[in-house]
Amino acid sequence: DGDRYLLGGVLLVVANAAQSVAMMLYNSYLPQIAPPEERDAVSSRGWAFGYAAGALVLIANLILYTAHDSFGLSESAAVRICLASAGLWWGAFALIPLRRLRDRRTPAREAAGTGWKQLAATIRDMRRHPLTLAFLLAYLVYNDGIQTVITQASVYGSEELGLGQSTLIVAVLLVQVLAVVGALALGRLARTYGAKRTILGSLVAWTATLAAGYFLPAGAPVWFFVLAAGIGLVLGGSQALSRSLFSQLVPPGKEAEYFSAYELSDRGMSWLGPLLFGLTYQLTGSYRDAIISLVAFFVLGFVLLARVPVRRAIGDAGNPVPERI
């Protein structure tokens, strides 16, 4: 508070940067702890557990925030406790990988080229695997659409549909809960149809969900909940299967390097969707037009992913090709 907002801004940047590094390392463990035929299921369960646990702490935070007077707290104090609980949550669960996961050491001479030099070396190496880069491009496009829907759905609900804060909070919880179901369900579908086909199917579902969202009536919370349910069902599975499919395209021994590029695609280009959303609103004055404009990311992502021969890409990366992919 007061003049300490600059400190808050710096801490926000540090926290987001640290989270990106943590997610990169977390993702890079997948090829080391799960054989190729189990990665879709393991990745799906990981996302499902994450959304389930996130829903629990979110519910606890919402109870504290909405009933802060009952706990003898001011609104500001309740917000501070909620924020601190997120940090404690991360810190507590970080003890599990620290104690249970083994670190595969890299010889010092190989680790000497760190930072930007290492990133440049990784990019040069990735040029030897153009099909892996082709998947990353497709992921960059459709994931940007996913991230924008997540961040702008509440804006659409409040500004265009005229929904209250309590409705939006319930919708967020609904997305969290159904993302668990969606991650597990799409993981099971991947066993039958393969990860690539299941992801392509999820992109069709994303497109249909946004199209339905365009026609939602204003002031109707029930239909907004239906939209939230649709988002939740495809959200977790899209993320989980994208991670597991990319893990098949990473050359052995380069997991952390390649997943850093994967995380860069996830975080580093996530401004394109909000830019399109904002520009469309500025030009048309309609949030409905802004939300439907995001369909472009899913259509283009579908086309780019459909053109990637994943079996050949897995073989070119030096990995065994699973029976169903």
Side-chain angles (χ1 to χ4, degrees):
D1 60 2
D3 59 358
R4 293 191 297 172
Y5 62 91
L6 289 177
L7 174 61
V10 170
L11 293 176
L12 182 65
V13 171
V14 172
N16 275 278
Q19 186 203 17
S20 296
V21 174
M23 288 299 297
M24 177 268 291
L25 295 171
Y26 164 69
N27 289 336
S28 68
Y29 265 107
L30 180 61
Q32 301 181 39
I33 64 176
E37 65 275 7
E38 293 183 9
R39 285 182 198 165
D40 291 341
V42 171
S43 184
S44 297
R45 289 174 192 153
W47 275 106
F49 290 171
Y51 274 115
L56 291 176
V57 73
L58 179 60
I59 290 172
N61 284 170
L62 290 175
I63 292 173
L64 178 64
Y65 173 71
T66 55
H68 58 84
D69 288 335
S70 302
F71 294 99
L73 297 171
S74 65
E75 183 180 25
S76 175
V79 171
R80 292 174 183 273
I81 293 173
C82 290
L83 188 62
S85 72
L88 293 173
W89 190 266
W90 274 84
F93 279 94
L95 297 177
I96 297 175
L98 283 173
R99 292 180 61 86
R100 302 292 297 172
L101 289 177
R102 293 184 179 180
D103 190 17
R104 191 171 65 186
R105 299 291 181 181
T106 302
R109 62 181 181 277
E110 296 181 20
T114 55
W116 292 108
K117 291 175 61 178
Q118 183 59 48
L119 178 60
T122 301
I123 293 174
R124 286 195 300 270
D125 185 74
M126 292 186 74
R127 290 168 62 183
R128 298 172 45 239
H129 303 283
L131 296 180
T132 301
L133 277 175
F135 173 84
L136 265 182
L137 176 61
Y139 174 75
L140 182 153
V141 172
Y142 71 74
N143 182 66
D144 207 1
I146 292 173
Q147 297 303 320
T148 307
V149 172
I150 293 172
T151 58
Q152 301 303 319
S154 60
V155 176
Y156 181 66
S158 61
E159 299 297 329
E160 183 68 33
L161 304 182
L163 302 176
Q165 194 69 24
S166 59
T167 299
L168 298 177
I169 290 173
V170 173
V172 170
L173 278 174
L174 188 60
V175 169
Q176 288 279 126
V177 172
L178 288 180
V180 177
V181 178
L184 296 176
L186 265 65
R188 293 183 70 87
L189 285 175
R191 294 184 194 175
T192 303
Y193 300 104
K196 178 182 175 181
R197 290 181 181 176
T198 306
I199 295 172
L200 290 173
S202 75
L203 297 181
V204 173
W206 274 107
T207 302
T209 301
L210 287 182
Y214 179 85
F215 296 102
L216 285 185
V222 173
W223 288 110
F224 189 71
F225 292 152
V226 173
L227 178 68
I231 291 174
L233 287 174
V234 293
L235 174 61
S238 303
Q239 295 169 316
L241 294 179
S242 296
R243 175 174 63 185
S244 62
L245 182 55
F246 181 70
S247 73
Q248 310 274 9
L249 309 179
V250 176
K254 296 183 178 291
E255 291 84 1
E257 295 177 37
Y258 274 65
F259 269 105
S260 66
Y262 182 85
E263 187 68 17
L264 186 64
S265 298
D266 189 357
R267 304 284 179 177
M269 301 303 293
S270 59
W271 52 271
L272 292 174
L275 176 63
L276 177 62
F277 185 91
L279 286 177
T280 304
Y281 175 73
Q282 289 293 326
L283 293 173
T284 66
S286 170
Y287 281 104
R288 293 185 186 272
D289 292 336
I291 201 73
I292 201 66
S293 70
L294 301 179
V295 166
F297 288 95
F298 298 106
V299 173
L300 181 57
F302 181 98
V303 172
L304 292 173
L305 178 59
R307 293 170 58 87
V308 179
V310 293
R311 287 189 172 275
R312 182 150 61 91
I314 294 171
D316 289 351
N319 295 316
V321 181
E323 181 179 347
R324 190 172 299 280
I325 192 66

